Amino acid sequence: MAAAARGPPLSFAMMRLSFVLLLLLLLLLVQSGGGQKKKENMLAEKVEQMMEWSSRRSVIRMNGDKFRRFVKAPPRNYSVVVMFTALQPQRQCSVCRQANEEYQVLANSWRYSSAFSNKLFFTVVDYDEGADVFQQLNMNSAPTFMHFPPKGKPRRADTFDLQRIGFASEQLAKWIADRTDVQIRVFRPPNYSGTIALALLVSLVGGLLYLRRNNLEFIYNKTGWAMAALCVVFAMTSGQMWNHIRGPPYAHKNPQNGQVSYIHGSSQAQFVAESHIILLLNAAITMGMVLLNEAATSKGDVGKRRIICLVGLGLVVFFFSFLLSIFRSKYHGYPYSFLIK
Amino acid sequence: MDGLTDSGHGHFNTKHKWRTEFSGCNYVVKNDTVANHMRVVSLSSFLLRFNYRSTHHLTSNGFYEFLNWFDERAWYPLGRIVGGTVYPGLMVTAGLIHYVLNLLHMTVHIRDVCVFLAPIFSGLTAISTFLLTRELWNQGAGLLAACFIAIVPGYISRSVAGSFDNEGIAIFALQFTYYLWVKSVKTGSVFWTIGCCLSYFYMVSAWGGYVFIINLIPLHVFVLLLMQRYSRRVYIAYSTFYIVGLVLSMQIPFVGFQPIRTSEHMAAAGVFALLQAYAFLQYLKDRLTKQEFQTLFFLGVSLAAGVVFLTVIYLTYTGKFSLSLMRYLCPPPRYAKIHIPIIASVSEHQPTTWVSFFFDLHILVCTFPAGLWFCIKNINDERVFVALYAISAVYFAGVMVRLMLTLTPVVCMLSAIAFSSVFEHYLGDDQKKDSPPTEDSSDEDDKRNSGNLIVTMLMLMLLMMFAVHCTWVTSNAYSSPSVVLASYNHDGSRNILDDFREAYYWLRQNTDEHARVMSWWDYGYQIAGMANRTTLVDNNTWNNSHIALVGKAMSSNESAAYQIMQSLDVDYVLIIFGGVIGYSGDDINKFLWMVRIAEGEHPKDIRESDYFTPQGEFRVDKAGSPTLLNCLMYKMSYYRFGEMQLDFRTPPGFDRTRNAEIGNKDIKFKHLEEAFTSEHWLVRIYKVKNEGSSRTSSFLRKARS
């Protein structure tokens, strides 16, 4: 017991002693080793710091000082990939957010891959945290991806060509493999939202059917099915699938005079707004045809039927000429028009 | 010639231009007279040459020889097994017609048969569309539908004379199969079903699109089951169709065992099993009491579900059956855009904008939903079919421009139904006879008649606009033999540019019979067909690395390219150059795709970014990237072009397609020499100097050692 009671102070003293000794030794080493040792030390410290940060978050956030110290300044033995971006909501940079997501996917793939090492770090500099860095690098667009090699200055190819190849993480990984010889296999977290939505929908429909099990007449309602079929048809013929695949902007705003154009000028492309307009026009023409038929078949009084007939005819003729005029404006050299130029 | 210059696109826009119609441009392709038209078209389009060549082989060597045909002229040095890799329906049809005509001592050349095959079959398509629509609605709608399909631009593109293409006969087979299917569901007679199977067999032999039928018909049966419209007629029709159709479809060498192996045929098998089970249950229901039946039902269903589940797991596990359904459900262009540049590069594989829908279908695209509405409101067994047909076809057409072709017939039918029901009510005056002339004054009656007249007039006017549109589209966009180009001056007079034929004729007359010609793959079939020379890649090459090698040769500098060309035994290089006349479909405009495809296979040697300026532009003038200015394609295109002054207003060496003065005017070749340049410089052919002494290729030497 006595030994045990005396134990802690002794060990404390020993520790303190050894610590002081170590410090002294270090100091001596540093003084005698000179510049080379100091550099190595600094490097080790930097790597350790970077490793610590990246173990906490796969993408390291940097401000101006950190950037200069860990990315710009030598000595370094690691590559750094920097995304210059503006993520603050008031900057209204929607591309930045998309690019950021892709970048996070890439950084996470690297962080949790078996090949993870201290040879490559992913960092981000936000404009609102390091505006001086942007000025220093003469950068005036965000997002920009740059690679800082371990030795020497970044060359032209070290800036990722965003305009041309986009910012998909696969492309980024290819670029990094090209610049650093580090191969990253991009692993996207599986997207469960679609499955969950489907399951919800199925359970909702199932629940509804169960609740109304005594009255299932509505399934045999032809109008509902016809509506659903027409929705599919209208969505496809107005090019929603094109929108889905190509992802065009909603409309185009001319930066000079602020005019918003909803119709794309070329026949090879379209805006989302434009496809919605076309959808409505197609639906109106179809409705006109149905009304024309309705007017003739329904058994109401003559005046009412005449009005329905006129409305139907008007819908068909007017909206078709409108559609034709839009087509004409897009398809240069098309000679025909009807009522509306 | 002035009008030509504006057709140039200063920047890069080949993605959509490639192998698309140059409809909006000044390049309207026309021919002189009708007689000449036929001759020229038959020698025309890039793809169709191959079909003609194989048909020629079939007629001169017989059917079995054709099945065993190994074409050493294609894909040099690999060669191509033709018999087992094509759908032979088209060639056999043409060969058969030729044989019968010759038997009757009507001596026609096989080429004439090929040229007129598409128009004949479009006539048959119109007839089968009439029959199908008559089954679905009534005779009037059928006639309208036949009229629509006869002129609709979406189908005209495949049915002009000289369009000797699989799709031309396949649409007829498709419509006829559907007609016979509807007929057999209506009657439940084995006779009609066997007819349907034979028609399906013809479709399988003609086009890969038969998969659409083998999925749509099971879907129809399945939906009928869900709607509790099961009947003995459906049972007889589908069981017969599935068994006989399956056996027949497996007779085509190219299809082989696919119908029982691949997942796109599994739906048919599943529905077949389901139908048998359903029929069996129906049978039991008649024999058993309600309580017994319920127990048996639950037992049976759970057992069946378990068996199916285990089988699928087992098959997937052993890898015999891949669950590759995602490939069909997710939009292919999106998949391809990421993975395969060569698929993304073909304009036919793009999704469809509304403009293309309107361009191909005009008023029909806005009115056919009304027809669909009427069909669903007055549903019966066969209208279920047409509704499913419309919805699935419209989905596929939205995903891929090419599949507009399968949508067109159903749009014609449904539009015809919509128009016909309107005309029925407003055109005839038989209603007047029915309604008793009571308190309605004659004044009222007159008013109604005039109202009817207005409706009829306006509807006819819309249809007239449709007809005018079809004529315009057909003459401007779809009668386009890409071999002969025409340009229009300001006064409307026309210049014919016959450079392609001139160049191919030169190749045929002046080069060795076994010479190998390297060109980009668009011109492969043409060179093989018109010049009768061996090509390296053509329009059907699926060997991506082979195409990439050609792309690499085109985009490397001369000495690197020479090594590749030596290893591939190339004797001549053929390129298309439009800078003199302002033709925007030339090789420089396609060049980035060559680079991209080459980069996909050889990322260390070729980099797309090297071909851009630091600002990311693709320029051929002095500011262009040095890699571009020294690559083989650039040098071949602009060789001696710097000495040429086209206009007093422009400097020498001014490229009219890209509106720029070229950057490298001093081009000299070490390993190549200019062999031929056509009148308007559209086609340029270079000879590869043969420096090695032996003619044996390094490729063959490698193979031997």
Side-chain angles (χ1 to χ4, degrees):
Chain A
M1 283 300 278
R6 248 182 291 131
L10 187 69
S11 64
F12 258 104
M14 286 290 281
M15 264 174 76
R16 199 174 293 156
L17 191 72
S18 64
F19 191 66
V20 170
L21 267 176
L22 203 75
L23 266 183
L24 272 175
L25 207 70
L26 266 177
L27 210 67
L28 270 173
L29 268 176
V30 167
Q31 273 173 348
S32 62
Q36 187 61 37
K37 287 277 192 253
K38 191 173 168 186
K39 236 180 180 174
E40 255 172 41
N41 232 328
M42 235 170 91
L43 188 62
E45 203 176 298
K46 269 165 84 170
V47 171
E48 197 180 327
Q49 182 68 58
M50 289 292 270
M51 280 304 270
E52 193 199 322
W53 278 332
S54 64
S55 68
R56 254 183 272 156
R57 289 175 80 173
S58 50
V59 174
I60 307 166
R61 286 195 84 85
M62 294 223 161
N63 55 20
D65 293 332
K66 276 190 198 165
F67 178 78
R68 273 182 287 278
R69 177 141 178 259
F70 289 95
V71 181
K72 282 295 270 190
R76 272 186 301 124
N77 63 356
Y78 48 85
S79 290
V80 186
V81 177
V82 189
M83 174 174 69
F84 298 96
T85 189
L87 287 173
Q88 295 301 319
Q90 75 264 23
R91 299 274 164 219
Q92 290 185 347
C93 175
S94 60
V95 185
C96 297
R97 236 161 291 145
Q98 292 165 23
N100 186 39
E101 273 164 30
E102 291 292 315
Y103 192 61
Q104 293 288 351
V105 168
L106 181 71
N108 280 326
S109 315
W110 168 239
R111 172 73 189 75
Y112 298 107
S113 80
S114 52
F116 179 69
S117 69
N118 56 11
K119 288 277 162 271
L120 175 66
F121 294 102
F122 288 93
T123 62
V124 58
V125 178
D126 199 299
Y127 182 78
D128 295 284
E129 291 165 21
D132 47 336
V133 179
F134 277 72
Q135 275 156 19
Q136 201 178 348
L137 291 170
N138 241 340
M139 209 168 279
N140 42 22
S141 71
T144 308
F145 294 95
M146 266 183 93
H147 165 249
F148 290 85
K151 288 194 176 60
K153 285 208 178 295
R155 277 187 290 267
R156 195 166 71 94
D158 282 314
T159 307
F160 182 68
D161 192 346
L162 200 84
Q163 295 291 332
R164 200 166 52 75
I165 32 189
F167 45 71
S169 31
E170 285 82 7
Q171 295 292 348
L172 277 167
K174 215 170 133 195
W175 170 66
I176 287 168
D178 188 44
R179 303 309 311 164
T180 63
D181 291 327
V182 174
Q183 303 282 350
I184 303 175
R185 233 183 100 234
V186 175
F187 177 76
R188 282 175 190 278
N191 194 353
Y192 293 114
S193 59
T195 324
I196 290 172
L198 196 73
L200 263 175
L201 197 78
V202 167
S203 55
L204 208 75
V205 169
L208 210 75
L209 287 182
Y210 183 75
L211 281 178
R212 297 192 57 178
R213 65 186 175 281
N214 299 324
N215 185 13
L216 284 176
E217 274 305 301
F218 69 98
I219 291 186
Y220 302 105
N221 184 356
K222 284 172 196 156
T223 316
W225 288 106
M227 285 281 188
L230 289 202
C231 284
V232 174
V233 167
F234 288 136
M236 286 299 155
T237 54
S238 61
Q240 301 302 325
M241 185 52 88
W242 196 91
N243 291 349
H244 176 69
I245 291 169
R246 289 287 161 76
Y250 190 77
H252 178 72
K253 191 173 179 187
N254 195 332
Q256 263 102 51
N257 51 18
Q259 252 178 359
V260 182
S261 54
Y262 295 103
I263 310 288
H264 197 284
S266 144
S267 61
Q268 305 281 0
Q270 63 188 21
F271 293 131
V272 177
E274 176 184 346
S275 70
H276 290 165
I277 295 171
I278 300 304
L279 195 152
L280 290 179
L281 289 182
N282 277 344
I285 294 168
T286 302
M287 209 168 99
M289 288 300 268
V290 173
L291 283 183
L292 272 179
N293 202 51
E294 201 84 339
T297 51
S298 70
K299 292 185 176 61
D301 80 317
V302 182
K304 204 170 158 193
R305 278 164 58 177
R306 192 173 297 145
I307 288 170
I308 293 177
C309 168
L310 278 180
V311 168
L313 193 65
L315 280 175
V316 172
V317 171
F318 176 73
F319 285 111
F320 182 70
S321 24
F322 191 41
L323 187 62
L324 200 64
S325 74
I326 294 177
F327 177 74
R328 200 176 132 99
S329 73
K330 278 175 76 87
Y331 206 95
H332 306 289
Y334 186 73
Y336 306 114
S337 64
F338 185 57
L339 300 182
I340 307 169
K341 273 277 170 190
Chain B
M1 289 293 283
D2 221 357
L4 280 175
T5 46
D6 356 332
S7 75
H9 296 263
H11 282 289
F12 234 81
N13 197 15
T14 57
K15 197 168 170 182
H16 308 286
K17 283 273 174 247
W18 198 8
R19 288 177 55 198
T20 42
E21 67 277 9
F22 295 99
S23 40
C25 303
N26 299 315
Y27 265 92
V28 177
V29 179
K30 285 279 176 71
N31 323 94
D32 274 332
T33 57
V34 176
N36 197 11
H37 177 95
M38 301 309 175
R39 209 34 63 75
V40 170
V41 180
S42 81
L43 299 170
S44 70
S45 180
F46 295 128
L47 270 158
L48 316 182
R49 285 301 311 182
F50 172 73
N51 290 334
Y52 170 63
R53 212 157 74 88
S54 2
T55 313
H56 193 73
H57 191 91
L58 171 73
T59 49
S60 41
N61 295 323
F63 181 66
Y64 289 102
E65 196 54 40
F66 168 70
L67 279 184
N68 292 325
W69 185 25
F70 181 79
D71 182 10
E72 70 276 4
R73 285 258 152 107
W75 308 355
Y76 184 85
L78 308 170
R80 176 183 181 188
I81 309 159
V82 175
T85 57
V86 291
Y87 288 100
L90 181 71
M91 296 103 188
V92 172
T93 310
L96 203 68
I97 293 175
H98 180 245
Y99 176 77
V100 168
L101 285 180
N102 273 316
L103 216 63
L104 300 171
H105 291 287
M106 299 209 281
T107 44
V108 289
H109 195 274
I110 181 67
R111 185 180 56 214
D112 298 328
V113 176
C114 294
V115 168
F116 288 106
L117 196 71
I120 292 169
F121 269 83
S122 75
L124 293 177
T125 309
I127 293 171
S128 50
T129 306
F130 164 73
L131 292 171
L132 179 55
T133 320
R134 192 182 62 181
E135 291 303 320
L136 293 170
W137 202 258
N138 59 25
Q139 195 143 351
L143 282 173
L144 265 179
C147 293
F148 287 160
I149 194 122
I151 57 171
V152 68
Y155 182 55
I156 278 280
S157 58
R158 313 290 168 158
S159 59
V160 287
S163 156
F164 186 51
D165 205 352
N166 285 334
E167 282 100 328
I169 63 168
I171 294 300
F172 156 69
L174 186 86
Q175 286 294 88
F176 200 57
T177 310
Y178 286 156
Y179 163 65
L180 290 170
W181 168 250
V182 165
K183 197 82 188 163
S184 47
V185 168
K186 264 182 145 176
T187 57
S189 106
V190 177
F191 169 73
W192 289 111
T193 318
I194 294 293
C196 176
C197 293
L198 290 175
S199 176
Y200 172 67
F201 173 61
Y202 186 60
M203 174 76 187
V204 176
S205 77
W207 194 35
Y210 76 89
V211 177
F212 185 49
I213 299 183
I214 198 62
N215 283 300
L216 187 61
I217 287 180
L219 184 68
H220 180 213
V221 173
F222 183 65
V223 173
L224 285 182
L225 285 189
L226 282 186
M227 292 171 76
Q228 302 181 335
R229 285 177 169 272
Y230 168 82
S231 62
R232 283 185 74 88
R233 291 175 284 120
V234 176
Y235 179 78
I236 292 168
Y238 187 68
S239 304
T240 319
F241 170 79
Y242 180 68
I243 296 294
V244 180
L246 182 77
V247 171
L248 284 177
S249 68
M250 282 162 72
Q251 307 307 312
I252 305 295
F254 189 38
V255 176
F257 280 94
Q258 275 178 36
I260 50 169
R261 277 215 188 118
T262 52
S263 54
E264 62 255 38
H265 297 85
M266 283 305 140
V271 170
F272 179 67
L274 190 75
L275 192 68
Q276 303 307 319
Y278 195 88
F280 184 62
L281 282 177
Q282 290 284 324
Y283 173 78
L284 283 183
K285 208 171 171 183
D286 294 342
R287 315 264 139 161
L288 298 171
T289 62
K290 208 174 175 191
Q291 192 56 46
E292 280 174 328
F293 178 72
Q294 262 183 2
T295 332
L296 202 75
F297 182 77
F298 275 110
L299 215 75
V301 164
S302 44
L303 206 73
V307 166
V308 166
F309 185 67
L310 286 178
T311 322
V312 167
I313 284 187
Y314 172 73
L315 287 179
T316 316
Y317 187 70
T318 52
K320 286 211 176 73
F321 167 68
S322 59
L323 279 176
S324 52
L325 270 178
M326 276 317 284
R327 226 173 68 208
Y328 302 97
L329 291 179
C330 93
R334 176 172 236 191
Y335 173 83
K337 196 170 75 179
I338 304 166
H339 295 96
I340 316 155
I342 201 157
I343 288 182
S345 73
V346 178
S347 60
E348 284 181 333
H349 296 162
Q350 309 296 335
T352 317
T353 57
W354 76 266
V355 174
S356 321
F357 275 108
F358 194 82
F359 183 78
D360 277 351
L361 302 168
H362 197 249
I363 181 113
L364 306 187
V365 81
C366 336
T367 50
F368 92 95
L372 186 61
W373 175 271
F374 298 144
C375 274
I376 295 180
K377 290 294 263 187
N378 309 303
I379 202 94
N380 59 21
D381 285 359
E382 57 270 16
R383 287 177 195 159
V384 172
F385 179 74
V386 80
L388 291 171
Y389 182 9
I391 291 166
S392 52
V394 84
Y395 170 76
F396 288 119
V399 171
M400 214 192 259
V401 178
R402 212 186 133 160
L403 295 177
M404 185 74 89
L405 194 62
T406 52
L407 174 70
T408 307
V410 71
V411 165
C412 288
M413 295 187 317
L414 288 173
S415 261
I417 288 172
F419 273 108
S420 137
S421 59
V422 168
F423 282 137
E424 230 167 68
H425 298 311
Y426 291 94
L427 196 58
D429 49 0
D430 43 353
Q431 281 172 324
K432 216 163 55 181
K433 283 176 210 154
D434 295 344
S435 60
T438 45
E439 74 269 45
D440 272 23
S441 65
S442 65
D443 188 36
E444 189 90 345
D445 222 37
D446 266 6
K447 256 190 197 166
R448 211 178 109 200
N449 265 356
S450 67
N452 284 359
L453 203 65
I454 289 172
V455 171
T456 316
M457 290 291 286
L458 280 171
M459 284 294 141
L460 283 177
M461 207 144 147
L462 289 181
L463 289 185
M464 200 189 72
M465 296 214 50
F466 171 63
V468 170
H469 171 88
C470 293
T471 320
W472 184 82
V473 168
T474 310
S475 72
N476 280 286
Y478 285 140
S479 46
S480 51
S482 23
V483 163
V484 182
L485 301 168
S487 66
Y488 290 94
N489 297 344
H490 282 307
D491 55 354
S493 63
R494 182 167 56 183
N495 295 321
I496 298 284
L497 312 174
D498 206 0
D499 284 38
F500 287 102
R501 290 201 301 169
E502 186 192 340
Y504 294 136
Y505 190 70
W506 184 89
L507 263 182
R508 201 186 185 106
Q509 295 295 321
N510 296 296
T511 60
D512 183 66
E513 199 192 332
H514 299 290
R516 286 154 291 260
V517 183
M518 180 170 93
S519 72
W520 192 234
W521 56 276
D522 287 26
Y523 318 109
Y525 279 160
Q526 269 188 348
I527 295 169
M530 295 176 68
N532 201 18
R533 293 293 172 265
T534 308
T535 57
L536 270 68
V537 286
D538 62 34
N539 315 48
N540 200 16
T541 307
W542 55 69
N543 187 340
N544 196 8
S545 67
H546 209 53
I547 293 183
L549 209 56
V550 172
K552 188 184 170 190
M554 295 290 192
S555 38
S556 314
N557 62 32
E558 194 191 343
S559 49
Y562 183 65
Q563 281 184 352
I564 299 171
M565 291 193 291
Q566 282 280 297
S567 71
L568 287 172
D569 263 357
V570 175
D571 295 310
Y572 292 92
V573 188
L574 181 146
I575 57 155
I576 308 296
F577 172 61
V580 175
I581 55 160
Y583 174 57
S584 60
D586 68 350
D587 276 346
I588 292 279
N589 270 355
K590 291 171 188 170
F591 184 56
L592 271 193
W593 283 109
M594 303 185 199
V595 174
R596 244 166 245 169
I597 290 166
E599 190 187 10
E601 294 278 324
H602 311 277
K604 290 280 171 209
D605 303 316
I606 306 288
R607 260 176 241 276
E608 198 186 339
S609 52
D610 293 346
Y611 295 84
F612 288 102
T613 59
Q615 288 77 39
E617 286 170 302
F618 183 82
R619 301 177 68 147
V620 296
D621 56 8
K622 277 208 174 61
S625 88
T627 321
L628 174 70
L629 297 195
N630 287 304
C631 74
L632 186 68
M633 176 55 79
Y634 187 92
K635 283 173 85 174
M636 285 196 298
S637 290
Y638 293 118
Y639 179 61
R640 291 198 303 122
F641 188 62
E643 305 156 15
M644 192 181 187
Q645 188 159 18
L646 289 162
D647 212 323
F648 294 114
R649 284 165 289 175
T650 54
F654 185 81
D655 183 336
R656 281 179 155 171
T657 306
R658 286 153 284 269
N659 286 325
E661 188 187 348
I662 60 169
N664 185 357
K665 289 188 186 173
D666 181 34
I667 295 172
K668 285 196 176 63
F669 282 113
K670 230 187 328 183
H671 305 293
L672 283 92
E673 59 189 7
E674 185 181 6
F676 174 80
T677 297
S678 64
E679 190 189 345
H680 303 96
W681 290 47
L682 206 52
V683 185
R684 308 195 73 178
I685 301 172
Y686 289 83
K687 185 171 173 32
V688 181
K689 282 187 200 162
N690 191 17
E691 279 157 18
S693 53
S694 79
R695 283 258 5 127
T696 353
S697 73
S698 57
F699 199 91
L700 289 180
R701 255 181 278 140
K702 255 185 229 159
R704 270 185 214 136
S705 63

